[in-house]
Amino acid sequence: MITNIANTSFNSGRFPAKLKLGLITPLLKKAGLDATDDCNFKPISNLPTMSKLLERLALSRLQPHLLSSPNFSTLQSAYRSYIPLRQLCSRSLMISTDRWTMVPLLPWSASTSLLLTIPLITGVLSSRLQSDVSIDGKALAWIPSYPSDRHSFVQVGRSAACQQPCIAGVPQGSVLGPLLFTAYISPIGRVVRGFGVNHHTYADDTQLYVEMADGGSLDQLSRCISCLQHWLLRNQLLLNGSKSEAIIIGTAQRHARSLQLSEMSVAGSGVVVRESLKLLGVTFDRTMSFDKHVSSVVRACSFHMSGLRHFRSLVSDEVAHQIACSIVGSRLDYCNSLLLNCSNRNLDKLQRVQNNLARVV
């Protein structure tokens, strides 16, 4: 039955209408928030299981095709099997005492995918998939059918609201939605490269970085950010200047003898240049020493080891080993390739954590 439904859907180029209904459950963002304020809730969308099975089948074909296309941004690291943080580090570490690297992080406004109207998704996305990655025929017809004519309703306990049409956004809680969103914003890479600025993108978070010499100007970077902002506006997206961050990366000698910028402008908002910033769970400091990142990892690991000590005598060796690897060891392993040229002092801190963890187990 499932095979028949899937084959019929793909052969006809239409997503089944009966599988387009979403159930939205509002949940408090944090315990203790005022339950009478609607802003304190986040909408959790649940889609039919059969719908997600069809999406998985489509994803298994679409994802390899999109990622293999030269027109799909290779520096979009979301929803794929690698995170190119090492590329950012290697570019930033390739600096001398007379050069520095400016790295602004440009987040977009929350729920940017919700700003996209369905006609825009079905029209612009179909055009980009056809011209950029050569999708056509029934496959191209099936994709705009997927987000179109959807409905959802809110349910709290046993009470349910009336069904309402979804007029904007990719289906929340879907399997295929994130990939379609990244395909929609893929041209960002071409926009940024046109200014000779390097970049990385994770979902809707964009990091730009430009290497400059003493006395260099930020005009090139400013023009790039301005053009990127206009591209987003034309595509019904919005750059959030108030949440943007920036950091200047250079050697300690370079920072000691140069006058540092304290602020730059992004989307009309003043962005403070920070001593460190967090990107995908890794704390980058302005000399790329990773001192703050290692301290953060050690602090988190020590907290969880303390909890493990309390009930260690109540579990078997095998269970203790599994807990140690999943809760503490995973933190030591996350992005550890960034620590290739880290100082021995920081490596010793991490080694002591691992030794203490072994003793606890």
Side-chain angles (χ1 to χ4, degrees), residues 48-347:
T49 301
M50 187 62 211
S51 170
K52 293 194 173 185
L53 287 176
L54 282 180
E55 292 178 61
R56 289 283 182 190
L57 293 172
L59 184 70
S60 66
R61 294 297 186 90
L62 285 173
Q63 189 173 38
H65 182 74
L66 261 64
L67 299 185
S68 64
S69 172
N71 290 325
F72 190 83
S73 177
T74 58
L75 298 177
Q76 168 62 263
S77 59
Y79 319 118
R80 55 204 312 175
S81 58
Y82 72 94
I83 299 177
L85 274 176
R86 273 206 59 80
Q87 297 182 32
L88 174 61
C89 290
S90 61
R91 294 289 184 88
S92 300
L93 286 170
M94 290 167 52
I95 51 179
S96 58
T97 56
D98 61 342
R99 303 188 73 83
W100 51 273
T101 304
M102 166 67 78
V103 184
L105 305 186
L106 309 176
W108 301 355
S109 290
S111 302
T112 49
S113 61
L114 294 177
L115 303 176
L116 303 176
T117 60
I118 296 300
L120 184 75
I121 294 176
T122 56
V124 176
L125 180 60
S126 297
S127 176
R128 287 175 182 167
L129 291 176
Q130 186 175 27
S131 61
D132 290 355
V133 296
S134 302
I135 295 179
D136 56 15
K138 293 179 180 179
L140 187 63
W142 188 91
I143 292 174
S145 170
Y146 168 70
S148 302
D149 301 322
R150 286 185 170 268
H151 291 76
S152 62
F153 68 97
V154 179
Q155 180 171 333
V156 179
R158 295 183 178 181
S159 302
C162 298
Q163 295 183 15
Q164 298 292 332
C166 300
I167 60 175
V170 296
Q172 300 301 298
S174 65
V175 175
L176 199 55
L179 182 67
L180 297 181
F181 180 72
T182 55
Y184 180 84
I185 65 172
S186 184
I188 282 179
R190 296 195 291 270
V191 174
V192 174
R193 287 195 301 270
F195 290 87
V197 176
N198 296 305
H199 78 287
H200 281 109
T201 306
Y202 185 83
D204 57 356
D205 285 341
T206 304
Q207 304 94 43
L208 308 180
Y209 56 101
V210 57
E211 187 178 357
M212 303 182 69
D214 281 334
S217 173
L218 291 176
D219 290 343
Q220 178 187 19
L221 183 60
S222 298
R223 291 196 304 270
C224 178
I225 294 176
S226 178
C227 184
L228 179 60
Q229 181 184 8
H230 283 90
W231 186 92
L232 293 173
L233 289 174
R234 288 197 303 270
N235 288 271
Q236 296 189 7
L237 298 169
L238 186 63
L239 186 65
N240 194 341
S242 62
K243 291 187 177 181
S244 298
E245 298 178 289
I247 187 173
I248 297 177
I249 297 175
T251 61
Q253 297 85 347
R254 172 69 176 81
H255 285 291
R257 63 183 176 85
S258 299
L259 180 63
Q260 296 294 320
L261 291 174
S262 60
E263 189 176 271
M264 65 178 297
S265 177
V266 172
S269 301
V271 176
V272 177
V273 178
R274 302 185 179 279
E275 295 286 324
S276 63
L277 53 82
K278 198 167 187 178
L279 171 61
L280 299 180
V282 178
T283 303
F284 293 86
D285 57 76
R286 62 179 192 164
T287 60
M288 301 295 280
S289 66
F290 292 102
D291 289 347
K292 292 186 177 181
H293 173 66
V294 170
S295 297
S296 176
V297 172
V298 170
R299 185 164 54 251
C301 291
S302 299
F303 173 80
H304 290 289
M305 280 194 296
S306 177
L308 179 58
R309 284 192 184 94
H310 287 299
F311 62 86
R312 172 62 188 93
S313 60
L314 304 177
V315 297
S316 64
D317 292 348
E318 182 181 359
V319 171
H321 182 268
Q322 292 177 350
I323 294 175
C325 290
S326 60
I327 298 180
V328 181
S330 60
R331 286 173 166 78
L332 294 174
D333 294 337
Y334 180 71
C335 287
N336 58 6
S337 61
L338 299 179
L339 306 177
L340 176 63
N341 295 316
C342 196
S343 66
N344 290 331
R345 178 171 57 87
N346 283 329
L347 295 179

